[in-house]
Each structure stands twice: as C-alpha cells, then as structure tokens.
Amino acid sequence: MKPPPESVIDVQGVTKRFGDRTVVNRIDLRVLRGEIFGFLGPNGSGTSTFLRILCGLLTPDEGSGRCLGHDIRSDRAAIKREVGYMTQRFSFYEDLTIQENLDFIARIYAVANRAAAVRQSLQTLGLTERGHQLAGQLSGGWKQRLALAACLIHQPQLLLLDEPTAGVDPKARRDFWEQIHRLAAQGLTVLITTHYMDEAERCHRLAYLAYGNLLTHGTVAEVVQGANLTTYEISGPLLHRLADQLRGQPGVEQVVAFGNTLHVSGRNALQLHQSLAPARSDPYHCRAITSGLEDVFISLMDTARDNFR
Amino acid sequence: MKHHQFNFQRFWAIVAKEFIQMRRDRLTFGMMIGIPMMQLILFGFAINSDPKHLPTAVLSADHSVFARSFVSALKNSAYFDVRHELHSEAELDRVLDHGEVQFAIQIPADFSRRLLRGERPALLLAADATDPAASGGAIAALHLLVDSALNHDLKGPLQKLRASPGPIELIIHRRYNPEIITQYNIVPGLMGVVLTMTMVIITALAITRERERGTMENLLSTPARPGEVMIGKIVPYIMVGYLQAILVLLAARYLFQVPVIGSVTLLMIVILLFIAANLAVGITFSTLARNQLQAMQMSFFFFLPSILLSGFMFPFRGMPVWAQYLGEILPLTHFLRIVRGILLKGNDLSDIAPGLWPIALFLVAMLALGIHRYRQTLD
Ligand SMILES: Nc1ncnc2c1ncn2[C@@H]1O[C@H](COP(=O)(O)OP(=O)(O)OP(=O)(O)O)[C@@H](O)[C@H]1O
Ligand SMILES: [Mg+2]
C-alpha cells in the first residue's frame, strides 16, 4: 500500500457555472489529513456546490485536482467509495425504518460484517430501541443525526458534511462536535459547512466563501488578523440612540448590539477612532476589543458585495 | 477497471430496498392489483353482454306472405327491434350512416317468386359493424330466425324447399369494419394491455420519485452504478407483473371460458421478456422526466399508441401501412400475437419466435437508452 497522501483535498481553480452565473469561482483549496476544515459563506455563496464537486456529484467547468489521491474528474467512482457525504437536505428514505436505511447504505458500500456495523451505528446514535421507526417520523434534529450515522457506516476517509447541525439542539451539537474531533484524531478528514460562528471556531482551519469567491482561509486567529478589523465595545444607557447616531459616520462599518453593549467596527482604524468621539465621553464607556469571527465575516461579505456584484 | 463492473451486492441492496418501499406504499400496490381487476370487469361485461333489442330497419320490396311472416318473426325476436319500415335504398343508407339502426334488412322484390321456384333468393342484412361485438349474437340469431319463420310457411308441396342448403341465401354485409373482434381476442389481449399500462407507469415514477424526494442526491453520492440502480429497480416489479398476468390468465380461463390450448409454461416464460421490455420503457422515461407528473404524461404517451396501434382495439390489418409500421415497433403488438397464438391456436416456441426478437430488440434498445440517459451527476 502506498502511504496516505498528505493532503486529502488538493484542488486548483475549481469553477462551476449554472447558465451564465458563476457559482464557484476559481477556488484553490488544500485540506490535510485529520483536519477539521470549516467552510462558511452566506446563503447561496456556493458552499454546497463546492462540496458536490468534491464528491463527484457535479462536474467542474474548470479546474482540476485530487480528492483522497483520486482525480476529481476521472476517478469519481473511487472517490465515492471512500467519501461520506451528508446532504444539506435530508436524503434518506422516509418510508424505510432507521435500521433499514442504515442497512441499505451498508449494503451499497459493501460494508464487511454488515449486521454488526448497523447495530453499532444504532447504538452510537442511541436509537437501538427506535430502530424500527420510520425515518420520516423522526424530528428534524434526529434526522440529521441519522444522516451522520449513515454516512459514517462505511468508515470513510473523508467526510463532507453540508450543514450537519442545522436545527440540532445545543447538547446534541456538542456531542456531534466531540464525535467529529474524536474521529479526526483517528485520521478522518472533515470538511464541514456551517452558518454557526461557535462551530467555525471549533474547526482547525476555515475558509470563507462569498458569491463563489474564496475570500479568506486559515486558522481562526489568522482569519481574524488578516481581516485587519478594529472593533470597540461600548456600554452605557440608551445605546440604540447612540447606535443610530454612529451609523453612517466615516469609518463606521458595523454597529451591532450585543446584549447590553454595542460592537462597532471598521477597517480604517483612524477614521473609526475619530468617529467614536461621542462614545468616549460620559455616560458611555468605550474600549478596544479583538474582533469576533462574525464581525470579520460580515465585513468580508460587505467587501465582497462591493467587489463582485 | 474493477469498480466499473456490475456489483451484485449493490444491485441486491436496491432490490431489497424497492421491495420494502413497495410493501409500504399500499395505495400503489393496491392499484397494481386493482387496475387489472377493474379492466377485467369492465371489458368482461362488454364481452359477456349479448346485446338484444338492437334497432333495425326493414326495406321490403316484396309484399308476399313469406316476407310478411319473416318481418313479424323479426319483430317477435328478442334481438331485433324493428323501428323503421323503409321505402328506398337511399333511406337505408341514411339510417345506417346516422347510426339510427344497427341492422338494415333488405327483402328484394322477387323474393317470394324466386323462393317458390327454389332459386334461393337473397336476403340482405347490412350490419353496422363499427361495434362488431354488439352484432355478433344478433347475426347468429338471424340464421335460425329465417329458417323457423319460413319453415312455418313452407308446408305441403313447398316442404321440399326446406331441404339444405336452405330455402334462401342470407347475405351479410358488415359495414365499416371487415374484421370481427371476438371475446377470445380481448381477454388474452387484456393481459398485454394491463402489463403495458401498470409496468410503464410504476417504473416511470421510480427514479423521478427519488429525484423529487431528494434521495437521488444521496444515491448518486454512493458507489451504486446506473446498471445496478436501473435493473435493481426493475426486478421487484417483474414479480408484480407476473402476479397481474396470472390474475388475468385465471380470469380468462375460469371467468370468461377462454380456451387455453397452448402451453401456459411457455407463455409464462415469454411474459418475462414482455414485462422487462415495458419496465425498461418506464425506467427510461423516469430518467428523462423532471418530475412525477411528466413521468406520468410520458407513460400515457406510450400507452395510447400501444393500445390503439397494436391490434388490441382495431384489427391490425385494417390499419394504414404507416400505422402498421409504428405498431410493429411496439412490444404489445408482438405480445398480442404471441399470447393469442399460444392460448387460442396452441402455438409452440417456433411459431412465436418471429414475435420474440422484436420485443427483445426493443428491450435492449430501451435499456441502452435508459442507462445512457441516467445521469450520474446532478449537472
Ligand atoms: N442545479 C442548479 N442549477 C442552477 N443553479 C443552481 C443549482 N444549484 C445551485 N444553484 C445556484 O448556485 C448558487 C449556490 O448554491 P449553493 O447551494 O451552493 O449555495 P450554498 O452556499 O450552499 O447556500 P446555503 O447556505 O443557502 O445552503 C445559488 O444561487 C443557487 O441558486
Ligand atoms: Mg448549501
């Protein structure tokens, strides 16, 4: 056996158009083995499309590369056998029971010792008792968990998860992330799309996509630093009035209420500082803080809108 | 390359899944059994009924006692309802053309004179045979009627005229439709019609349903290959097809007393080919259609010519040549010949072989088209 390739995903210039709309625009990406890679972007930015290209469901119009060492254009069958893809929309059979669904997938992937694998999977899910319930009768969050269990059953090398935690409760989400980290520690690579910031921060590395363009990528710290954003936290009475006053001032790009405080950020630190003069006097209290991921992403999105629309 | 081969385990996964889904979808399953039952009952009544009191017109140019007693016998019979006494042939043509009567009976002017001379005068019966099943019983009755009516009058010295071949010659013109479809034709044919209808629809929905429910994206992301998916989806419905065929066959034999002369085993083997051909059509439609409604429309698009051009509805030889060519493409055309051949004429394999290869050819072409059209991506 040849040694496992260092980068599990390595693609260059991947482009996908629907009609004359470019949905994924010349994306280069490398993801290493054992990495949990977060893929973020506003709705319609092309994250699902990119995942589909990686697992061979869509043919890229341009670009090339390898996934698990197989060519993404010519060797799709090999990729499919080693990838676990979880679709954004629930796509298992609602008229089959939980157990039958798992059994079907296990058969399709020719899982060795199928019955044991299905039983194990049900146990991990905590659904042993409900194995005979129709999948269509599960609640949204449970469907997500079933889908994750199903795409793990053939022990894939790479997981492509499209918003796996949408609509899942916090406890289940935490369990999910613990499981993902455990699997990654064993060498599984995970590419995951999400709209949740706390989940983005749990990824080893992340990328931000807007209008099909890869705007930034790296660790959370790198992404925040690269954005060059200055953020102040303001506290005091009647903050919504101050917020109205600050919006539209030079250098003020975002004014967001966070509980009893206001976060104000902008890329031009000097202008922002000057515009915040009213917030520095009584009765307000103003201090510089590190920008959050969300501030960074919203800032990136605004820039992207100016540049690509 | 290894992964390009047909994998039996993946194929079997699809088959097992389809069986479970079929079992859960009670309504569809009920329809698959219900449609043949309904068609049998509907067509069965049409066949069984031996219509009586059919509107009749009489054009009598002869006023002899023979002619009059014949007409009154006609009036007394249950089959004929004499509504018009006509006076000219033009009138006769008109009432038939307008469908006012089913029969027009013409008694020539020299009827009694020639009868008495023993010259076997002609009695002309013009039948509107557009609905041939309707007139069959009545025509048969007319023969008896003629004999009994005239025998009553042919007494004494005239008795010698009764001798065979009968005192008169009954000439029957079946207008509009020279061939006759008998009940024996219909019930065996029904087997083909039922299979065509249900098999195509059911599989046309098979893949479109996956696409509409979003399960296709998942299926496509697995290593399952087009051949495995398509054939895996066909196999469970072959069983359903057999169930339907057996149902019709039993009804034909015991409900409608259709003679079963040939080998049922041979028929059961040949049916496999026919069922597979129809399932392949459905599967191919289902790769073309975007949603279940389109799949349904395509099925009807296939079903209509099948039923009209195959010789089920209209005599095959009565159709224009272009329609015959079209009909020759359709599996139902050949299957009808085969099933009638086996059941009614006792055909063996060598007799039906000319009908087998066109069905096989059709099957291969359809499967090839379907597999070619089956998109392995979401592009
Ligand atoms: N099959 C298709 N045909 C045409 N347009 C498509 C197709 N699939 C996606 N699109 C378009 O491509 C764009 C990107 O779609 P995609 O599903 O990748 O978005 P996304 O980033 O996953 O969004 P979300 O976060 O809402 O899931 C959208 O504008 C969508 O309308
Ligand atoms: Mg998406």
Side-chain angles (χ1 to χ4, degrees):
Chain A
M1 283 233 337
K2 60 177 187 209
E6 186 55 17
S7 50
V8 168
I9 298 173
D10 189 0
V11 294
Q12 301 87 33
V14 172
T15 300
K16 181 73 193 173
R17 300 187 194 89
F18 289 116
D20 51 6
R21 276 193 58 207
T22 304
V23 171
V24 170
N25 191 15
R26 282 177 299 190
I27 290 190
D28 304 333
L29 193 72
R30 265 190 82 186
V31 179
L32 305 179
R33 177 168 296 274
E35 235 180 350
I36 301 175
F37 197 97
F39 218 59
L40 289 94
N43 292 135
S45 55
T47 51
S48 297
T49 306
F50 188 70
L51 288 197
R52 287 179 180 146
I53 293 171
L54 286 182
C55 67
L57 278 179
L58 288 174
T59 324
D61 293 309
E62 284 161 33
S64 61
R66 301 192 155 257
C67 191
L68 292 162
H70 309 291
D71 191 286
I72 55 164
R73 284 175 180 277
S74 58
D75 223 358
R76 291 181 188 168
I79 295 177
K80 285 178 182 179
R81 272 175 294 148
E82 293 170 31
V83 167
Y85 170 53
M86 178 172 166
T87 54
Q88 181 169 358
R89 176 182 161 193
F90 183 71
S91 60
F92 288 87
Y93 298 97
E94 304 214 338
D95 49 354
L96 258 53
T97 65
I98 297 163
Q99 188 182 342
E100 286 161 350
N101 268 304
L102 293 171
D103 196 56
F104 171 67
I105 293 295
R107 264 192 171 141
I108 287 273
Y109 283 100
V111 172
N113 210 345
R114 199 176 80 235
V118 170
R119 216 176 314 119
Q120 177 61 43
S121 172
L122 279 173
Q123 213 161 31
T124 317
L125 262 175
L127 282 177
T128 312
E129 263 83 76
R130 291 160 72 189
H132 293 288
Q133 196 178 344
L134 290 184
Q137 293 171 354
L138 288 173
S139 75
W142 277 104
K143 279 182 183 164
Q144 296 290 89
R145 295 199 224 178
L146 166 62
L148 180 70
C151 63
L152 280 171
I153 206 161
H154 62 294
Q155 302 186 319
Q157 299 289 308
L158 168 67
L159 267 188
L160 301 174
L161 305 176
D162 202 350
E163 299 190 27
T165 54
V168 173
D169 70 56
K171 167 81 171 73
R173 247 171 7 121
R174 181 170 292 178
D175 293 347
F176 163 83
W177 275 97
E178 256 160 39
Q179 192 185 356
I180 292 290
H181 272 280
R182 212 167 36 240
L183 291 166
Q186 292 163 15
L188 180 74
T189 312
V190 185
L191 183 60
I192 179 170
T193 75
T194 179
H195 292 297
Y196 298 121
M197 290 307 131
D198 60 321
E199 294 194 343
E201 292 182 9
R202 289 178 167 198
C203 297
H204 297 132
R205 281 201 299 152
L206 43 89
Y208 190 79
L209 207 67
Y211 308 111
N213 297 278
L214 189 65
L215 297 186
T216 179
H217 62 103
T219 62
V220 175
E222 283 166 0
V223 166
V224 170
Q225 199 154 44
N228 232 341
L229 200 68
T230 312
T231 303
Y232 290 94
E233 183 190 72
I234 302 164
S235 53
L238 296 172
L239 284 172
H240 62 278
R241 285 217 192 127
L242 180 69
D244 287 342
Q245 195 184 333
L246 290 175
R247 275 195 191 101
Q249 295 293 318
V252 177
E253 289 172 3
Q254 292 177 46
V255 182
V256 188
F258 267 92
N260 295 324
T261 64
L262 212 57
H263 285 193
V264 183
S265 34
R267 275 163 296 168
N268 188 330
L270 196 64
Q271 270 190 349
L272 182 65
H273 184 79
Q274 285 163 359
S275 294
L276 282 183
R280 269 190 293 276
S281 55
D282 256 7
Y284 301 112
H285 182 75
C286 179
R287 68 183 180 100
I289 55 168
T290 32
S291 308
L293 258 187
E294 188 171 287
D295 306 322
V296 170
F297 286 151
I298 290 173
S299 160
L300 283 170
M301 202 165 112
D302 290 342
T303 332
R305 189 178 293 138
D306 300 340
N307 291 349
F308 299 110
R309 266 251 161 123
Chain B
M1 286 167 75
K2 196 167 131 272
H3 52 258
H4 281 289
Q5 283 167 4
F6 189 90
N7 178 305
F8 194 78
Q9 192 176 8
R10 291 197 297 250
F11 156 77
W12 193 247
I14 309 264
V15 172
K17 183 208 86 161
E18 290 293 320
F19 261 122
I20 299 173
Q21 289 188 304
M22 185 157 71
R23 207 181 59 213
R24 299 259 155 81
D25 190 356
R26 295 250 168 78
L27 183 71
T28 308
F29 193 74
M31 288 285 281
M32 287 188 285
I33 302 303
I35 288 177
M37 291 307 279
M38 192 186 72
Q39 291 202 340
L40 269 174
I41 289 168
L42 290 181
F43 280 93
F45 273 126
I47 301 154
N48 261 353
S49 68
D50 184 11
K52 304 213 164 115
H53 306 289
L54 298 168
T56 305
V58 177
L59 170 59
S60 180
D62 184 18
H63 302 286
S64 68
V65 60
F66 298 115
R68 264 183 284 121
S69 66
F70 171 69
V71 172
S72 65
L74 213 53
K75 284 180 176 164
N76 287 333
S77 102
Y79 281 104
F80 302 95
D81 178 7
V82 179
R83 300 223 177 134
H84 305 271
E85 306 238 2
L86 309 172
H87 304 287
S88 71
E89 287 196 23
E91 233 182 330
L92 184 144
D93 288 339
R94 188 182 54 79
V95 290
L96 268 179
D97 280 349
H98 291 185
E100 286 172 34
V101 295
Q102 180 85 26
F103 301 108
I105 295 169
Q106 195 174 355
I107 305 173
D110 53 359
F111 181 75
S112 61
R113 191 158 41 91
R114 296 187 57 187
L115 179 71
L116 292 173
R117 284 196 203 147
E119 286 177 1
R120 299 192 74 235
L123 191 64
L124 181 72
L125 173 80
D128 177 349
T130 46
D131 187 358
S135 45
I139 291 173
L142 191 65
H143 282 281
L144 293 173
L145 204 102
V146 169
D147 287 346
S148 67
L150 295 182
N151 287 353
H152 185 257
D153 291 329
L154 295 175
K155 285 180 292 220
L158 296 177
Q159 205 159 357
K160 65 175 189 303
L161 294 174
R162 289 192 198 174
S164 64
I168 63 157
E169 187 183 0
L170 185 61
I171 299 171
I172 296 165
H173 283 178
R174 291 192 176 88
R175 296 198 182 186
Y176 317 118
N177 182 1
E179 268 190 55
I180 338 151
I181 297 172
T182 70
Q183 64 187 54
Y184 293 169
N185 250 346
I186 291 183
V187 176
L190 213 49
M191 187 184 295
V193 171
V194 165
L195 287 175
T196 302
M197 186 162 159
T198 48
M199 294 292 99
V200 172
I201 291 181
I202 209 73
T203 43
L205 297 180
I207 287 180
T208 31
R209 190 186 302 128
E210 299 240 6
R211 200 169 295 133
E212 252 177 42
R213 292 188 186 167
T215 53
M216 200 63 193
E217 185 175 358
N218 204 346
L219 194 58
L220 286 176
S221 73
T222 71
R225 313 227 11 111
E228 293 153 7
V229 174
M230 304 214 342
I231 302 174
K233 276 173 173 290
I234 282 181
V235 165
Y237 294 107
I238 289 183
M239 317 245 163
V240 177
Y242 265 109
L243 204 62
Q244 293 181 329
I246 290 168
L247 212 66
V248 177
L249 199 63
L250 287 177
R253 182 74 189 81
Y254 296 104
L255 210 60
F256 302 112
Q257 273 83 40
V258 174
V260 178
I261 296 171
S263 155
V264 173
T265 317
L266 177 63
L267 181 62
M268 284 296 136
I269 295 168
V270 174
I271 278 182
L272 179 63
L273 186 65
F274 179 65
I275 292 177
N278 282 305
L279 292 175
V281 175
I283 280 283
T284 302
F285 283 169
S286 113
T287 61
L288 297 171
R290 278 211 200 86
N291 51 48
Q292 297 197 48
L293 181 67
Q294 282 187 355
M296 207 72 179
Q297 287 168 334
M298 288 185 189
S299 303
F300 275 101
F301 186 76
F302 177 73
F303 182 62
L304 272 184
S306 283
I307 204 168
L308 296 177
L309 301 183
S310 63
F312 175 74
M313 280 286 206
F314 310 114
F316 195 78
R317 279 178 217 94
M319 301 189 312
V321 177
W322 62 265
Q324 291 194 20
Y325 277 125
L326 268 179
E328 293 285 356
I329 298 172
L330 301 167
L332 183 59
T333 310
H334 301 282
F335 183 71
L336 286 183
R337 291 175 196 160
I338 290 171
V339 73
R340 287 168 183 164
I342 292 177
L343 287 186
L344 308 175
K345 300 184 203 158
N347 280 0
D348 59 23
L349 186 59
S350 62
D351 295 322
I352 59 167
L356 286 181
W357 69 262
I359 303 182
L361 199 68
F362 185 89
L363 166 65
V364 171
M366 269 297 154
L367 263 188
L369 178 64
I371 291 177
H372 171 72
R373 284 288 319 185
Y374 179 91
R375 278 154 285 186
Q376 265 194 296
T377 61
L378 295 168
D379 288 291

PDB file of all heavy atoms in Angstrom, chain A residues 43-49 52 88 162-163 193 195, ligand 2:
ATOM      1  N   ASN A  43     -25.785  32.555   2.491  1.00  0.00           N
ATOM      2  CA  ASN A  43     -26.669  31.704   1.685  1.00  0.00           C
ATOM      3  C   ASN A  43     -26.447  31.957   0.204  1.00  0.00           C
ATOM      4  O   ASN A  43     -26.322  33.103  -0.218  1.00  0.00           O
ATOM      5  CB  ASN A  43     -28.136  31.996   2.005  1.00  0.00           C
ATOM      6  CG  ASN A  43     -28.501  31.554   3.403  1.00  0.00           C
ATOM      7  OD1 ASN A  43     -29.154  32.278   4.134  1.00  0.00           O
ATOM      8  ND2 ASN A  43     -28.074  30.380   3.782  1.00  0.00           N
ATOM      9  N   GLY A  44     -26.362  30.874  -0.536  1.00  0.00           N
ATOM     10  CA  GLY A  44     -26.209  31.000  -1.977  1.00  0.00           C
ATOM     11  C   GLY A  44     -24.795  31.302  -2.421  1.00  0.00           C
ATOM     12  O   GLY A  44     -24.556  31.641  -3.574  1.00  0.00           O
ATOM     13  N   SER A  45     -23.823  31.156  -1.494  1.00  0.00           N
ATOM     14  CA  SER A  45     -22.452  31.525  -1.859  1.00  0.00           C
ATOM     15  C   SER A  45     -21.737  30.413  -2.601  1.00  0.00           C
ATOM     16  O   SER A  45     -20.660  30.615  -3.137  1.00  0.00           O
ATOM     17  CB  SER A  45     -21.675  31.890  -0.608  1.00  0.00           C
ATOM     18  OG  SER A  45     -21.747  30.829   0.305  1.00  0.00           O
ATOM     19  N   GLY A  46     -22.322  29.229  -2.625  1.00  0.00           N
ATOM     20  CA  GLY A  46     -21.699  28.150  -3.396  1.00  0.00           C
ATOM     21  C   GLY A  46     -21.042  27.077  -2.555  1.00  0.00           C
ATOM     22  O   GLY A  46     -20.324  26.234  -3.090  1.00  0.00           O
ATOM     23  N   THR A  47     -21.300  27.082  -1.252  1.00  0.00           N
ATOM     24  CA  THR A  47     -20.651  26.070  -0.412  1.00  0.00           C
ATOM     25  C   THR A  47     -21.143  24.662  -0.753  1.00  0.00           C
ATOM     26  O   THR A  47     -20.335  23.750  -0.914  1.00  0.00           O
ATOM     27  CB  THR A  47     -20.879  26.365   1.082  1.00  0.00           C
ATOM     28  OG1 THR A  47     -22.269  26.561   1.298  1.00  0.00           O
ATOM     29  CG2 THR A  47     -20.149  27.613   1.509  1.00  0.00           C
ATOM     30  N   SER A  48     -22.467  24.511  -0.879  1.00  0.00           N
ATOM     31  CA  SER A  48     -22.985  23.174  -1.219  1.00  0.00           C
ATOM     32  C   SER A  48     -22.460  22.736  -2.578  1.00  0.00           C
ATOM     33  O   SER A  48     -22.080  21.576  -2.770  1.00  0.00           O
ATOM     34  CB  SER A  48     -24.510  23.183  -1.252  1.00  0.00           C
ATOM     35  OG  SER A  48     -25.030  23.493   0.008  1.00  0.00           O
ATOM     36  N   THR A  49     -22.455  23.665  -3.511  1.00  0.00           N
ATOM     37  CA  THR A  49     -21.975  23.337  -4.853  1.00  0.00           C
ATOM     38  C   THR A  49     -20.533  22.834  -4.807  1.00  0.00           C
ATOM     39  O   THR A  49     -20.190  21.853  -5.466  1.00  0.00           O
ATOM     40  CB  THR A  49     -22.076  24.577  -5.751  1.00  0.00           C
ATOM     41  OG1 THR A  49     -23.410  25.070  -5.687  1.00  0.00           O
ATOM     42  CG2 THR A  49     -21.733  24.256  -7.185  1.00  0.00           C
ATOM     43  N   ARG A  52     -20.368  19.325  -3.556  1.00  0.00           N
ATOM     44  CA  ARG A  52     -20.844  18.379  -4.578  1.00  0.00           C
ATOM     45  C   ARG A  52     -19.779  18.121  -5.635  1.00  0.00           C
ATOM     46  O   ARG A  52     -19.690  17.020  -6.165  1.00  0.00           O
ATOM     47  CB  ARG A  52     -22.107  18.919  -5.246  1.00  0.00           C
ATOM     48  CG  ARG A  52     -23.317  18.835  -4.339  1.00  0.00           C
ATOM     49  CD  ARG A  52     -24.517  19.403  -5.041  1.00  0.00           C
ATOM     50  NE  ARG A  52     -25.694  19.323  -4.178  1.00  0.00           N
ATOM     51  CZ  ARG A  52     -26.660  20.226  -4.169  1.00  0.00           C
ATOM     52  NH1 ARG A  52     -26.589  21.269  -4.967  1.00  0.00           N
ATOM     53  NH2 ARG A  52     -27.679  20.083  -3.375  1.00  0.00           N
ATOM     54  N   GLN A  88     -27.331  18.525   2.457  1.00  0.00           N
ATOM     55  CA  GLN A  88     -27.931  19.588   3.264  1.00  0.00           C
ATOM     56  C   GLN A  88     -29.379  19.241   3.610  1.00  0.00           C
ATOM     57  O   GLN A  88     -29.814  19.389   4.729  1.00  0.00           O
ATOM     58  CB  GLN A  88     -27.872  20.907   2.485  1.00  0.00           C
ATOM     59  CG  GLN A  88     -28.444  22.074   3.256  1.00  0.00           C
ATOM     60  CD  GLN A  88     -28.121  23.399   2.579  1.00  0.00           C
ATOM     61  OE1 GLN A  88     -27.444  23.455   1.557  1.00  0.00           O
ATOM     62  NE2 GLN A  88     -28.610  24.473   3.154  1.00  0.00           N
ATOM     63  N   ASP A 162     -22.672  18.836   4.877  1.00  0.00           N
ATOM     64  CA  ASP A 162     -23.309  20.083   4.461  1.00  0.00           C
ATOM     65  C   ASP A 162     -24.327  20.501   5.519  1.00  0.00           C
ATOM     66  O   ASP A 162     -25.410  19.933   5.602  1.00  0.00           O
ATOM     67  CB  ASP A 162     -23.980  19.897   3.090  1.00  0.00           C
ATOM     68  CG  ASP A 162     -24.183  21.221   2.380  1.00  0.00           C
ATOM     69  OD1 ASP A 162     -23.978  22.276   3.017  1.00  0.00           O
ATOM     70  OD2 ASP A 162     -24.557  21.197   1.194  1.00  0.00           O
ATOM     71  N   GLU A 163     -23.938  21.456   6.314  1.00  0.00           N
ATOM     72  CA  GLU A 163     -24.774  21.952   7.418  1.00  0.00           C
ATOM     73  C   GLU A 163     -25.361  20.826   8.251  1.00  0.00           C
ATOM     74  O   GLU A 163     -26.583  20.702   8.384  1.00  0.00           O
ATOM     75  CB  GLU A 163     -25.876  22.865   6.877  1.00  0.00           C
ATOM     76  CG  GLU A 163     -25.297  24.065   6.168  1.00  0.00           C
ATOM     77  CD  GLU A 163     -26.352  25.102   5.825  1.00  0.00           C
ATOM     78  OE1 GLU A 163     -27.366  25.156   6.539  1.00  0.00           O
ATOM     79  OE2 GLU A 163     -26.154  25.841   4.856  1.00  0.00           O
ATOM     80  N   THR A 193     -19.650  22.461   6.291  1.00  0.00           N
ATOM     81  CA  THR A 193     -20.168  23.818   6.101  1.00  0.00           C
ATOM     82  C   THR A 193     -21.095  24.144   7.267  1.00  0.00           C
ATOM     83  O   THR A 193     -21.743  23.266   7.821  1.00  0.00           O
ATOM     84  CB  THR A 193     -20.978  23.959   4.796  1.00  0.00           C
ATOM     85  OG1 THR A 193     -22.243  23.331   4.980  1.00  0.00           O
ATOM     86  CG2 THR A 193     -20.266  23.348   3.623  1.00  0.00           C
ATOM     87  N   HIS A 195     -23.275  27.699   9.332  1.00  0.00           N
ATOM     88  CA  HIS A 195     -23.521  29.132   9.457  1.00  0.00           C
ATOM     89  C   HIS A 195     -23.313  29.582  10.901  1.00  0.00           C
ATOM     90  O   HIS A 195     -23.524  30.744  11.215  1.00  0.00           O
ATOM     91  CB  HIS A 195     -24.952  29.469   9.018  1.00  0.00           C
ATOM     92  CG  HIS A 195     -25.179  29.284   7.550  1.00  0.00           C
ATOM     93  ND1 HIS A 195     -24.494  30.021   6.609  1.00  0.00           N
ATOM     94  CD2 HIS A 195     -25.989  28.458   6.857  1.00  0.00           C
ATOM     95  CE1 HIS A 195     -24.891  29.647   5.398  1.00  0.00           C
ATOM     96  NE2 HIS A 195     -25.792  28.691   5.522  1.00  0.00           N
TER      97      HIS A 195
HETATM   98 MG    MG C   2     -25.957  24.819   0.970  1.00  0.00          MG
END
